[in-house]
Amino acid sequence: MDFEVKSDEITFKGYLEYHKGKLILLKANLVGLLEKPCDTCAEEFKMSVNEEVEFFISDGIYEDENGIELDVVESFDGVVFIEDLLASEIELIKSDYHACDNCKSSDEEL
Ligand SMILES: [Zn+2]
């Protein structure tokens, strides 16, 4: 199942693949521009984003034949889930250290 979700200038596009049991594999690309304050000068700037996201979703608690629990998300509600995921990925990227182009180039001079 393909999906495509947009948030401002970010496109989150990928597919869901159903595996045995209740596992769903989500593979997607997060591409676009993200506006955030520079971590050096606090000036708003747009950074380009290109992230690959891949993980398993379980519809219910998942245990494999050996009783090993995988690192999975345990609730799945289609589009709502994907939109939530996009929002949390954006938050994750924003929380990393990112400097604007001005600060980046002065970093390189040091
Ligand atoms: Zn800056």
Side-chain angles (χ1 to χ4, degrees):
M1 187 190 112
D2 291 335
F3 66 85
E4 187 174 335
V5 180
K6 286 188 183 187
S7 166
D8 297 327
E9 290 174 272
I10 297 277
T11 304
F12 191 46
K13 191 178 175 181
Y15 62 88
L16 299 167
E17 201 176 272
Y18 290 86
H19 282 244
K20 62 180 175 138
K22 288 176 165 183
L23 272 190
I24 303 162
L25 173 67
L26 182 148
K27 259 190 162 178
N29 258 310
L30 202 147
V31 183
L33 290 172
L34 189 64
E35 204 169 278
K36 66 159 271 164
C38 169
D39 285 314
T40 304
C41 68
E43 200 85 23
E44 288 275 334
F45 75 109
K46 280 183 182 175
M47 58 176 282
S48 62
V49 175
N50 191 347
E51 296 269 329
E52 261 186 36
V53 180
E54 180 181 334
F55 62 88
F56 285 103
I57 302 159
S58 161
D59 195 2
I61 292 173
Y62 181 81
E63 264 184 42
D64 74 4
E65 306 90 81
N66 305 315
I68 298 166
E69 282 192 34
L70 292 177
D71 184 18
V72 292
V73 176
E74 283 173 3
S75 66
F76 183 69
D77 185 14
V79 174
V80 175
F81 173 84
I82 291 164
E83 283 175 352
D84 284 353
L85 181 67
L86 172 59
S88 63
E89 286 295 323
I90 288 174
E91 284 311 306
L92 204 67
I93 293 166
K94 279 184 175 174
S95 69
D96 281 344
Y97 178 89
H98 296 288
C100 70
D101 287 341
N102 288 341
C103 295
K104 255 188 212 160
S105 52
S106 58
D107 274 355
E108 280 158 17
E109 281 165 24
L110 294 173

